[in-house]
Amino acid sequence: MINVALGGATGRMGRMVCDMITKSDDMKLVGAMIAPTEPEVGTEIYKNVIARGPDGLDEVLENADVYVDITSAAAASNVITKVPAKGINMVIGTTSIPDTVIQKMKDEVTKNNTSAVLSPNFAVGVNVFWKMCESLAAVLKEYDIEVIEAHHNQKIDAPSGTAAEAVRRMTKVTGINDVIYGREGMTGARKKEICVHSVRCGDVVGDHTVIFAGNGEVIELKHRANSREALARGFVASVRWIHGKKDGTVHNMSEVLGL
């Protein structure tokens, strides 16, 4: 049995992952951390699981084998560097965490010989989408590249972690280092750049489009998430994959999926 603690247990994604864990045959939810302002703090939100605020981290992790973080960048920054010292593996899906925090977390994982999975997106299709972005950009180096991402009106960061990862991979294979975000005014002729556009509206789960244009033709690569279930299943698969590993390494979703 894999004992799982989850940060962000009352969020939309957190609730879905918690439900999958409690319904599985090989996992047990043993801890839940939520924002200190949430009304559920101190209450039983699942059978024998009391929701704790960040100051109750020790209680949340007390019986855990794996800690899953689906919180905010600020909340995650205060937690993920502390977990490895407790000998607990991690699955981290929170985006926009500062690079300095990520590096410190990696150092702690290595120091304490634990393991983690870190990814901006845990959906199988998105990880294949990233691979295709990388492959097309490597071949179409002279083509113009535009990235358009759309999410619901409650998403607080932009661009999305999924779009940022696509851009990171494409800049690596093309050598294009000039990345801009939106356009306005007299911008002049297009430079050798990748431009990212963020849309926030309604209840859009997540749409990502990468446009490659040049030589009288256009290729559009698109991924659309119709449900958060695809992400939740990726989290659960990552928990199973990372459980028991103690290699001092931070892994990515491509490794989990064998890509």
Side-chain angles (χ1 to χ4, degrees):
M1 186 66 68
I2 307 171
N3 290 341
V4 184
L6 192 139
T10 53
R12 283 177 289 188
M13 180 57 63
R15 289 185 188 278
M16 187 173 289
V17 175
C18 285
D19 286 344
M20 286 187 179
I21 290 170
T22 56
K23 293 175 182 176
S24 70
D25 295 328
D26 60 342
M27 295 185 188
K28 180 181 179 182
L29 187 68
V30 297
M33 187 178 70
I34 63 178
T37 55
E38 291 291 319
E40 292 95 338
V41 171
T43 66
E44 185 176 9
I45 59 173
Y46 287 92
K47 184 179 179 180
N48 298 323
V49 177
I50 304 297
R52 308 288 185 186
D55 59 350
L57 181 62
D58 288 343
E59 290 89 345
V60 171
L61 299 177
E62 185 176 4
N63 299 306
D65 300 314
V66 179
Y67 169 72
V68 180
D69 196 284
I70 319 172
T71 58
S72 66
S77 296
N78 291 323
V79 173
I80 62 174
T81 58
K82 301 174 183 176
V83 175
K86 299 181 182 298
I88 298 170
N89 287 352
M90 294 187 292
V91 173
I92 305 167
T94 303
T95 59
S96 298
I97 301 171
D99 291 341
T100 53
V101 175
I102 294 296
Q103 186 56 56
K104 184 177 180 181
M105 179 269 295
K106 289 180 177 179
D107 292 343
E108 287 296 311
V109 166
T110 300
K111 175 183 174 182
N112 293 281
N113 200 40
T114 58
S115 300
V117 177
L118 172 68
S119 178
N121 195 304
F122 281 76
V124 173
V126 165
N127 282 269
V128 175
F129 172 80
W130 285 332
K131 197 76 172 178
M132 293 303 298
C133 286
E134 194 173 347
S135 298
L136 286 172
V139 175
L140 307 174
K141 291 184 178 180
E142 299 306 314
Y143 282 48
D144 295 329
I145 302 175
E146 300 276 312
V147 179
I148 305 168
E149 59 95 355
H151 285 82
H152 55 87
N153 57 20
Q154 299 301 305
K155 186 170 176 61
I156 61 175
D157 60 327
S160 67
T162 300
E165 176 64 12
V167 170
R168 186 191 70 78
R169 293 189 182 210
M170 292 188 293
T171 56
K172 183 177 180 180
V173 298
T174 61
I176 298 174
N177 295 314
D178 191 4
V179 180
I180 63 173
Y181 300 90
R183 294 188 180 89
E184 184 180 14
M186 301 295 291
T187 60
R190 194 184 196 282
K191 305 177 183 67
K192 198 64 179 175
E193 63 195 13
I194 296 176
C195 188
V196 184
H197 311 270
S198 295
V199 178
R200 297 289 177 267
C201 58
D203 60 353
V204 177
V205 174
D207 285 3
H208 293 85
T209 304
V210 177
I211 301 171
F212 299 89
N215 298 332
E217 60 184 3
V218 175
I219 297 174
E220 289 191 13
L221 186 61
K222 187 176 185 68
H223 177 276
R224 173 172 292 164
N226 295 320
S227 168
R228 291 179 177 81
E229 185 175 340
L231 296 165
R233 291 190 181 282
F235 277 112
V236 172
S238 296
V239 169
R240 290 191 176 103
W241 189 85
I242 204 67
H243 178 241
K245 278 186 173 26
K246 298 293 179 182
D247 59 4
T249 302
V250 177
H251 301 272
N252 57 48
M253 196 60 184
S254 292
E255 294 173 82
V256 175
L257 298 173
L259 298 177

